[in-house]
Amino acid sequence: IYTANNTIFSQTEIVNDLLQGIADKCKDEHVKTKIIQFYENVEEIESLLEKLRMSRIDGMIVLGTEMNVQNCRRLKQLKIPMVVLDSFFIGINCDSVLINNREGAYLATTYLISKYLQHPGHLRSSLRVNNFSERREGFRAAVTNNGLSINNCKTHLVSPTVEGTYHDLKDMLKDGEKPARAYFADNDLIAIGAIRAFQEAGYRIPQDIAIIGFDNTTVGTMTTPTLSTVSVNRNIMARQAVSSLLTIIKRPSPVSYKIAISTYLVIRDSA
């Protein structure tokens, strides 16, 4: 488990779902596993690389949501069969299993456009990771493919946490910014923080502002109103990562695969 700032992995539900899927598939295949969590600093990474060089592991799945391309390349240079889970890096010949982020953002944004017939807004994470970048691409593609101008869409950079988004939008509303009619949020935590900020400012959800998040976390079912979101089967993602790794170990190939697991909309009361 690669951790750079712990913002993403504070979402323990997502991490636990992925780890459980890996454990279940490994049990089915009679494969032993070991979990290592390390942080993005020079000392920890050097220590990890040395441990891996001395180990007798047959292969590794790297939960790389927060990982950067430089450290992915360093892990790849160990010559240990490797699959990156929940991220992808252009230019590195390494198998990856990830969410089809672009598709999910596209589905959510298209839904908002078709229902509210206005330019949608984007509650965009200020934290730069591949998943969020791909969701931005999906948002922009949906806007342009529906004949709208991206220049007329409101985009707000916010912290990817409930409290961070709440305070960012609270400050924005105090400054007199008028919100969009509907928003796609980069994750559920952003969406939940936005709902809180907008409601405190007197806006009704979804009568005045509609919101769709991403990740389909349990907390979204407990908000008022309940959160519409983009979902992906994390168990399938994790099991596919194990299958891909076992294939690489048994039949090494110079060709790598990027497997994107499809998404679907879960429409509840916020949109």
Side-chain angles (χ1 to χ4, degrees):
I1 304 176
Y2 183 103
T3 305
N5 50 60
N6 213 31
T7 299
I8 302 303
F9 290 127
S10 62
Q11 302 182 59
T12 55
E13 177 184 346
I14 295 174
V15 179
N16 289 342
D17 286 350
L18 292 172
L19 293 180
Q20 188 61 56
I22 291 171
D24 290 344
K25 179 63 174 176
C26 286
K27 183 178 179 180
D28 293 345
E29 299 289 343
H30 307 289
V31 173
K32 294 180 180 180
T33 60
K34 180 178 181 180
I35 297 173
I36 302 172
Q37 183 168 4
F38 63 99
Y39 294 86
E40 189 181 77
N41 62 62
V42 174
E43 293 78 11
E44 285 227 18
I45 290 174
E46 289 299 333
S47 175
L48 173 74
L49 292 173
E50 186 58 30
K51 287 178 182 178
L52 292 174
R53 288 188 192 99
M54 302 297 292
S55 70
R56 295 186 177 183
I57 62 172
D58 296 298
M60 57 186 175
I61 296 171
V62 181
L63 188 49
T65 311
E66 298 184 351
M67 187 162 59
N68 59 46
V69 65
Q70 292 84 4
N71 284 321
C72 182
R73 186 172 288 113
R74 295 181 75 187
L75 287 170
K76 179 66 177 176
Q77 289 171 348
L78 293 172
K79 306 297 183 183
I80 298 172
M82 180 175 81
V83 172
V84 176
L85 178 59
D86 201 35
S87 194
F88 171 76
F89 299 99
I90 295 174
I92 299 180
N93 188 25
C94 179
D95 282 48
S96 300
V97 179
L98 65 158
I99 304 169
N100 194 332
N101 292 288
R102 196 175 188 275
E103 174 196 56
Y106 188 96
L107 291 173
T109 306
T110 297
Y111 176 89
L112 293 173
I113 292 170
S114 64
K115 184 169 183 178
Y116 298 102
L117 304 177
Q118 295 185 36
H119 282 81
H122 185 190
L123 296 171
R124 184 182 168 201
S125 169
S126 57
L127 180 66
R128 295 291 183 260
V129 296
N130 286 344
N131 284 344
F132 293 148
S133 297
E134 291 176 352
R135 291 170 197 178
R136 178 173 180 260
E137 292 173 5
F139 173 84
R140 294 173 69 89
V143 170
T144 56
N145 288 355
N146 280 279
L148 302 177
S149 171
I150 196 69
N151 294 327
N152 292 329
C153 295
K154 291 180 179 289
T155 297
H156 310 302
L157 280 177
V158 294
S159 301
T161 63
V162 174
E163 287 299 316
T165 295
Y166 166 72
H167 289 292
D168 289 341
L169 292 183
K170 190 175 180 179
D171 291 342
M172 179 198 81
L173 293 168
K174 280 183 180 179
D175 291 339
E177 176 77 21
K178 184 178 179 181
R181 176 62 184 87
Y183 283 99
F184 165 67
D186 272 350
N187 69 14
D188 284 357
L189 301 184
I190 289 173
I192 292 166
I195 288 174
R196 179 181 165 193
F198 289 140
Q199 286 177 330
E200 281 194 10
Y203 293 99
R204 300 169 299 165
I205 310 295
Q207 294 90 337
D208 301 320
I209 302 172
I211 298 176
I212 297 180
F214 202 117
D215 287 328
N216 194 21
T217 53
T218 302
V219 68
T221 66
M222 298 183 285
T223 59
T224 304
T226 54
L227 181 64
S228 298
T229 187
V230 176
S231 188
V232 65
N233 191 315
R234 290 186 282 271
N235 184 268
I236 288 178
M237 281 180 64
R239 294 178 72 92
Q240 179 59 56
V242 176
S243 296
S244 295
L245 182 58
L246 293 178
T247 298
I248 297 168
I249 293 170
K250 294 173 184 176
R251 295 187 297 277
S253 170
V255 178
S256 62
Y257 294 87
K258 174 186 178 182
I259 300 175
I261 306 300
S262 62
T263 59
Y264 57 94
L265 286 179
V266 177
I267 300 301
R268 299 192 184 103
D269 297 331
S270 69

